[in-house]
Amino acid sequence: MKKILLFMIGVLCALQVGAQETDAMLFGDVKSKATGKHLPYATIKVKGTKLKTMCDGTGHFKLSDLPVGKQTVVASMVGYKDQELEVLMQREKGTGAYFQLEEDEMSINQVVVTGTRTQHYVKNVPIRTEVLTSQAIVNKNAQNVFEALENTPGIRVEQQCQFCNFSEVRMQGLGAEHTQVLIDGEPIYSGLAGVYGLQQMNTNDLDRIEIVKGAGSALYGSSAVAGAINLISKEPGYEPSIKGDLQFGNFGYKNYNASGSWRNSDIGFNVFAQRTEMDAVDATRDGVGRKAVKHKDGISDRVNDKVNNLGFGVYFYSPFAKEDKLILRGKATDEERRGGVMTDDRYLNPFTEMTENINTKRLTSELTYSLPVGERSRFDLAVAYVHHRREATNDTYLGSYKETHDGKSPDVESMRPYLAKENTVTPSLTFATRLGNHSLLLGAQGYFTRLHETGLYCITGNPGDAYYGTDYTSIGKKHANEFGFFVQDEWVVTPRLSVVPGLRLDTHSSGEEYTSSKKVFDGNFPKTKFNETSVNPRLAVKYSPSSDLVFRANVGTGFRAPYGFSEDLHLCSGSPRVWKSSDLKAEKSVSFNLSTDYYGKDYQLSANIFRTNLKNKIAFGDADDKVKALGYTYQWENKGDAYVQGVELGAKVNIMKDLSANLNWTFNQGKYKNVRDEWKFDDIVGGLEDAVKDAMAGGNADDLKKAQDNLANVKGREAEYKRFEKDSKQISRFPQMTGDFTLEYTPGTWTFTLTSSLQGKMYIDYMAEAGMQESKIKKTDTFMLFNCRVAKKLGRMFTVYAGGKNIFSYIQDEKHTDDAAFMYAPVYGATWYAGVS
C-alpha cells in the first residue's frame, strides 16, 4: 500500500514538474501577404491546447512556456484565411514564427453562430448559414435592417401600407409571422416591433447579419417556421476607434451616424448613435398603366420620418473566472412617422381624414454571461427585456363617426390616439460540452410578453342597430407565455461527415381579453385562450468529399401559435374587431433543404433546394355571422394547407484583381391546397344576392339599383372571376423568380459598387373598398431595380462617397389607394445621396 501511495505521489510530482515553466518561447509577426503590412491584433493559438495570444498594435506577438516538441501554431484574423505553421519548441529556447495571411475574399472564414448556436466558420457549419458582413452593409449604403436585407437570396422585404409604410420580411415565400428575427440570438423582436421595426433598427452597431433558412423551431421556438435572421452586435476591438458619418440626399434625406469603441484585456465598451430624417414624398396616383400612375395626387407615397437610435455595450473579460465574459447592452429607439394627404400639410395634423401619425418608443436591455467549465464545457446565460410603447392615429374613428353622424365631426376633446404598451422578457440558458466526437448542447428558453392596448372606435353597419353610431374606447389585454427545452448533438462521425440531430419541446399559452367603455352589443366580449405543446425534431447532415466541396441536408419541423399583435393594416389595432378563436389550430410545418457549395480559389458556387409544407395556415379575413354577433368585424382563420418550394443558385467570382461579382438566382412556387374562401365565385355571387335582398327590404331605390348593378357586373365577368378563384391558390407576394447581381471594383483607394435585383411575376390581391365586385387578383410583370455607389478614401481618416437607389426610377404600373396593401414595387422614383465618413 505504501509503495502504491509513493508511486502516485511521484506521478503527481512528475505532472507538476511538467506543468511548470518550460521557458520555450514563441515569437514572431503577422503580415498581409498582399500588401506586406503588419496586421495588428491577429490571434495566435497553439492547436490542441488552450494556449493563445494576440498580436499587439504593430502586428508582433510572443507566447511563453509552450509544450516542448513539434507544435502546430495557427494565426487567424477576420477577413483573412487561417494559416498554420509547424514549429519545434525546445526547453529554454526561443523559436520564431512569421505568418503571411491571404485575404478571405470569399468570406469562408467568417465565424457564424446561428445555425447550431455554436461557433463555426461559414465553410464548416453543418447547417447552411448565409452572412451579410458589416462591409457588405456599408457598400449597400444600408442605414437600417430593411435596406440591409434587400437583394438577399430567398428573402423579400416589402412595404404593405401606402400611408404608413408598414414593412415586413418574407423568407422563401412565407410571411413575416413565420420568420424569427433574433437580436444576438434572442427573440426580442416582438410582434409590435415587427410592424415598423425593420426600418427603425439601425445598422451602425451590427457586426453582421446571419440567415438560416428552413424550419428553425428545433432551436428557436415558435415562429421560426421559415427560418431565422440573427442580428449580431459589434464587439469592441483592441484598436480604439471613433467614427462619424454625415449623409444627405434628395427628398430631404439626412443621416447622422456616430460610434466609438475601446477595450483592453479586462474591459471594453462601445457606444453608437444615429438619426435619420426624410421628407414625405408624393410621386404617384391611382391608375392602371405606368403613364397613368406617374403623377402626383396629393397623398404621400413615402412617409415623413424621423428616427433616433442610441445605444451602448459594456464587455467584462474574465470578471469572475478565467476566460468568462459578461456583456451588458442597452438601446433606445424613438421614431415619428407621418403620412397621408399632403395638401396644405394636412398629414401633419394627426386627427384629420386620410392621415396617419405613428410614434414609437422602444427600450431594449440585454445581459449575457458566458462561463467556461473545464477544458470542454461552457454555460451561456442571456436575459433580455424590451419595453415598447406606440401612439398612433389614423382616420378610422373619424371616418366611422362622420359616417354615422350625418357628416358631423366629433368633439375635438374626445379624440384620442391608439395606445399600446408591450413588455417582453426572454431568458435563456444553454450548456455546451464536448464528449469525444460529440458536441452536445442543452438549453432552455422562455418568452413572456404582456400587451395592453386602447383605441377609440365607432359602431357602423346597419343604421337600424340599437348601437349604431356609438363611439367607445376599446381596451385589450393580451399575454403569451412560452417555454422551450432543446437538445442538440453535433456528431463528427468522420473528418468528412457530420450529423446534427436536435429536438425541442415547447409549451405555449396565450390569451386575449377585451372590454369597452360603453355597451356596444347585446353580450360581453368572450375571453380567448390558446394552449399548445409542440415537439419539433431536426436533423442536419454535412458531408465534405474534399476540402473544396460541401453537401448539406436539413429536415425539420416547426410550429406557430395563433398569437400576435393584430396590425392588419392598422385598421383594427387595439380594438375587439379581430377575433382569434380558442379553437384555432397552431400552424405546423415540415421543411426540407438540400444544398451544395463549392469553394474554389477565386470563386464559390452554391445551390439550394427547399420545400416547406405548411398545415393549418392562419390568415386574416372578414368575420362570419357568428363572430359578428360577438361584436367582432374581422377574424383569424385556419385557411388550410399550403406549400412553398424552390431552387436557389449562387455564384461569387473574383474576375480579376480588384474586381468581383456575385450572382444569385431563385425559382419559386407556392400554393394553397384549396382555393381561398373569399375568392369562390359562388360565394361572391351569393353575398351580392343577399345585398340585393337587403336593399329591397330597406326600400331605398338607389341602394337597390347599386346592389343589382354590382351583381350583374360580377355575373357578366364570370370567366374573369373564375380565373381569380383559380389564382387564389397561389401564395400571394411570392415571386416566381428572383435574381440579384453585385459587381464590385476596388482599385486602390476607390470602391465602385453596382447592384441589381430582378423580381419575377407574382400574384397580389386588390381588395377594393367598393366590395368584391371591384376586387381582383393581379399577376404582376417582371421588373429590375438598380443601385450604385462610389467611394474614395482620403488618407487614413476620411472616405467620401455618393450613390443612388432605384436609379432608373421604376415604379409599379398599377395603384389603388383604397387598398393600402396593394404594393408590389416602388411607388416613387430614384433617391440619391452623398456623404463623408
Side-chain angles (χ1 to χ4, degrees), residues 479-532:
H479 75 274
N481 301 316
E482 198 166 281
F483 209 78
F485 300 90
F486 54 89
V487 60
Q488 175 184 272
D489 176 21
E490 292 184 52
W491 178 23
V492 181
V493 183
T494 71
R496 298 181 183 276
L497 177 64
S498 297
V499 179
V500 185
L503 182 71
R504 176 161 174 146
L505 170 67
D506 278 284
T507 60
H508 172 97
S509 67
S510 58
E512 301 186 2
E513 178 182 357
Y514 292 102
T515 57
S516 59
S517 60
K518 300 177 183 177
K519 192 171 183 63
V520 292
F521 75 103
D522 295 329
N524 296 309
F525 295 115
K527 296 181 181 180
T528 64
K529 62 180 180 179
F530 181 83
N531 295 286
E532 175 79 8

Side-chain angles (χ1 to χ4, degrees), residues 118-134:
T118 54
Q119 288 191 353
H120 291 277
Y121 286 136
V122 168
K123 182 178 179 179
N124 299 326
V125 64
I127 296 173
R128 194 167 189 268
T129 305
E130 298 169 50
V131 182
L132 284 172
T133 64
S134 58

Side-chain angles (χ1 to χ4, degrees), residues 653-718:
V653 183
N654 292 326
I655 300 172
M656 54 182 287
K657 186 178 185 296
D658 303 325
L659 180 63
S660 63
N662 192 356
L663 174 65
N664 298 284
W665 207 271
T666 68
F667 301 91
N668 307 305
Q669 185 185 54
K671 287 186 177 182
Y672 291 95
K673 184 177 180 179
N674 301 304
V675 299
R676 287 181 280 152
D677 291 342
E678 63 268 30
W679 289 104
K680 291 180 178 178
F681 177 74
D682 292 342
D683 290 353
I684 294 174
V685 170
L688 293 174
E689 289 175 342
D690 290 342
V692 171
K693 294 177 183 178
D694 292 341
M696 291 178 64
N700 187 305
D702 290 338
D703 289 347
L704 178 59
K705 177 69 166 56
K706 183 179 178 180
Q708 289 173 335
D709 288 345
N710 288 338
L711 177 59
N713 175 44
V714 170
K715 286 186 174 180
R717 298 163 56 198
E718 180 175 352

Side-chain angles (χ1 to χ4, degrees), residues 553-812:
N554 182 15
V555 59
T557 67
F559 85 104
R560 177 202 169 206
Y563 171 83
F565 169 70
S566 299
E567 164 58 23
D568 298 320
L569 305 185
H570 238 54
L571 183 64
C572 37
S573 304
S575 80
R577 297 182 177 187
V578 183
W579 168 250
K580 299 171 189 171
S581 170
S582 300
D583 296 327
L584 277 170
K585 299 177 182 177
E587 292 181 344
K588 303 283 188 177
S589 71
V590 179
S591 179
F592 307 87
N593 284 78
L594 180 63
S595 66
T596 181
D597 294 271
Y598 182 79
Y599 302 92
K601 181 179 180 181
D602 294 314
Y603 63 95
Q604 178 182 333
L605 304 176
S606 63
N608 180 44
I609 301 172
F610 68 90
R611 180 179 172 105
T612 297
N613 296 325
L614 199 60
K615 187 177 181 181
N616 302 323
K617 190 177 189 306
I618 298 172
F620 169 78
D622 292 331
D624 57 31
D625 292 339
K626 182 179 178 181
V627 172
K628 285 180 181 178
L630 298 173
Y632 294 79
T633 311
Y634 306 96
Q635 67 185 67
W636 279 13
E637 301 174 273
N638 291 114
K639 289 289 188 179
D641 300 344
Y643 73 88
V644 292
Q645 62 185 14
V647 178
E648 300 174 351
L649 304 174
K652 185 186 295 184
V653 183
N654 292 326
I655 300 172
M656 54 182 287
K657 186 178 185 296
D658 303 325
L659 180 63
S660 63
N662 192 356
L663 174 65
N664 298 284
W665 207 271
T666 68
F667 301 91
N668 307 305
Q669 185 185 54
K671 287 186 177 182
Y672 291 95
K673 184 177 180 179
N674 301 304
V675 299
R676 287 181 280 152
D677 291 342
E678 63 268 30
W679 289 104
K680 291 180 178 178
F681 177 74
D682 292 342
D683 290 353
I684 294 174
V685 170
L688 293 174
E689 289 175 342
D690 290 342
V692 171
K693 294 177 183 178
D694 292 341
M696 291 178 64
N700 187 305
D702 290 338
D703 289 347
L704 178 59
K705 177 69 166 56
K706 183 179 178 180
Q708 289 173 335
D709 288 345
N710 288 338
L711 177 59
N713 175 44
V714 170
K715 286 186 174 180
R717 298 163 56 198
E718 180 175 352
E720 187 176 13
Y721 276 85
K722 287 289 183 69
R723 189 178 76 246
F724 297 157
E725 179 177 323
K726 180 181 178 182
D727 289 345
S728 73
K729 293 182 68 174
Q730 303 287 336
I731 298 290
S732 298
R733 299 178 176 274
F734 189 26
Q736 296 174 354
M737 176 179 62
T738 62
D740 301 286
F741 178 71
T742 301
L743 189 67
E744 192 167 282
Y745 183 46
T746 56
T749 56
W750 290 89
T751 300
F752 299 90
T753 305
L754 174 68
T755 63
S756 68
S757 62
L758 177 145
Q759 179 177 284
K761 299 178 186 297
M762 68 178 182
Y763 296 86
I764 180 169
D765 292 2
Y766 166 48
M767 307 304 292
E769 194 174 67
M772 290 303 296
Q773 67 275 5
E774 298 295 335
S775 301
K776 67 178 182 178
I777 297 179
K778 177 182 175 67
K779 187 176 183 179
T780 66
D781 293 330
T782 300
F783 66 88
M784 291 186 70
L785 303 177
F786 293 86
N787 305 328
C788 65
R789 184 178 187 271
V790 58
K792 165 70 174 176
K793 290 183 179 180
L794 304 177
R796 293 187 60 196
M797 292 185 63
F798 293 94
T799 299
V800 294
Y801 58 89
K805 297 184 178 183
N806 188 18
I807 59 177
F808 297 117
S809 293
Y810 183 89
I811 61 170
Q812 68 182 47

